[in-house]
Amino acid sequence: VEASSNALSFDCAAARGQAEQAVCADASLAALDRLAGPGDDAFAARRSACGRADDLTACLTELYATRIAARAKDGDTLPGVTGPIAYDCRGAAVEATFLAEPPLAVVSGSGITAVLTRAAAASGERYEGVSEGAPIELWSKGEEITLTHDSDRRQCSPSRP
């Protein structure tokens, strides 16, 4: 039986632990749960472990966003998800997957793995976050992106097959 596209990966009436309760109470986390899909027991255990994190919402957002990016990379077509898009950043290979709601970017490659949140920008789209304790920013204008990690700024173009 196909689950409803509005159904969460678990029953909120039987939600166990802080993580599942947080997903049921937060529309953005619920949207991520729907896109991520049910996962397996290991994924459910990682979700439950977020209940012990210092920042429950950040932990769940990162967990769900990285799972969604992995599903997109595996070829799943997911509503509101663009990518992954492969970029050449001055010889370094980087992939970015963009989520429309909540507005996030998942960046991986060249020693970086990060889930970035959309920030205010005068033009284009700007995402920011932290990777390995250093600030990271992705600025998208057209097909090009600028990726800044700590003080390393790279101009990136879509990789061509």
Side-chain angles (χ1 to χ4, degrees), residues 79-102:
V81 177
T82 303
I85 301 170
Y87 292 96
D88 179 1
C89 302
R90 294 185 309 183
V94 173
E95 285 186 345
T97 302
F98 299 92
L99 285 67
E101 194 55 45

Side-chain angles (χ1 to χ4, degrees), residues 78-134:
L78 302 168
V81 177
T82 303
I85 301 170
Y87 292 96
D88 179 1
C89 302
R90 294 185 309 183
V94 173
E95 285 186 345
T97 302
F98 299 92
L99 285 67
E101 194 55 45
L104 301 169
V106 181
V107 179
S108 62
S110 190
I112 298 170
T113 301
V115 176
L116 311 177
T117 56
R118 189 173 316 159
S123 65
E125 291 184 359
R126 186 170 69 90
Y127 298 85
E128 59 187 17
V130 175
S131 177
E132 299 175 15

Side-chain angles (χ1 to χ4, degrees), residues 13-102:
R16 297 174 307 198
Q18 290 182 334
E20 287 185 359
Q21 291 170 4
V23 172
C24 293
D26 184 300
S28 291
L29 291 175
L32 289 171
D33 181 87
R34 288 183 195 94
L35 279 174
D40 55 16
D41 289 344
F43 180 79
R46 288 193 306 273
R47 180 180 58 218
S48 291
C50 282
R52 297 184 297 280
D54 290 339
D55 187 335
L56 174 63
T57 301
C59 180
L60 288 168
T61 299
E62 183 172 329
L63 178 69
Y64 281 125
T66 53
R67 175 163 165 72
I68 292 163
R71 287 189 62 199
K73 185 171 182 149
D74 287 344
D76 289 351
T77 301
L78 302 168
V81 177
T82 303
I85 301 170
Y87 292 96
D88 179 1
C89 302
R90 294 185 309 183
V94 173
E95 285 186 345
T97 302
F98 299 92
L99 285 67
E101 194 55 45

